[in-house]
Amino acid sequence: MNARVRADLIVGRPVRDASGRRVGRLGEMRIELAAPGGTDYVVREFELITGGWLASLVGAQFAAVVARWLGREPARRVVGWRELDLTNPTAPRLRS
C-alpha cells in the first residue's frame, strides 16, 4: 500500500482490533528515509499507548508522566506498519 496520511490526523486516535475492541491510542511513529539520499520518508512502526482510563482522561503524555512518577513504565505496544489499517484515518484498526 502506497498511501499518504497526515500524521497530525492520526496521532492520539484510539485504535481498535479486528473485533472492535479498543487496544490503545496511536502514539509515536518510527520513520526512516525511503531511499538513501532521498527526501521521502516511510513509516516502519507505530507505537500504541495502552494507558487505559487515565490516558483517556488526561492524555497519554500526562498519563506516562504519572506512571513514571509512580515507578511504573507506561504500557506500550509496537506494531509494524502492515499491521495497522489506515484506510479510514479517523478510525485506525489492527488488521489481525
Side-chain angles (χ1 to χ4, degrees):
M1 182 171 143
N2 213 2
R4 294 177 185 255
V5 177
R6 287 181 34 185
D8 63 327
L9 295 180
I10 61 172
V11 171
R13 294 271 181 190
V15 177
R16 301 197 179 272
D17 64 11
S19 64
R21 286 182 309 154
R22 188 171 160 171
V23 293
R25 289 193 173 272
L26 194 59
E28 296 179 3
M29 293 177 276
R30 290 179 180 73
I31 62 171
E32 60 187 45
L33 281 170
T39 58
D40 289 333
Y41 290 87
V42 293
V43 175
R44 295 294 180 205
E45 295 176 330
F46 293 95
E47 183 179 76
L48 301 181
I49 300 169
T50 56
W53 63 270
L54 182 60
S56 64
L57 285 177
V58 298
Q61 307 257 330
F62 185 72
V65 170
V66 171
R68 285 190 187 100
W69 182 72
L70 294 172
R72 301 180 193 156
E73 277 300 309
R76 298 175 187 274
R77 175 179 172 189
V78 176
V79 296
W81 67 271
R82 287 187 171 135
E83 296 176 62
L84 197 62
D85 179 5
L86 292 172
T87 52
N88 180 359
T90 60
R93 298 181 79 85
L94 290 178
R95 292 187 191 277
S96 54

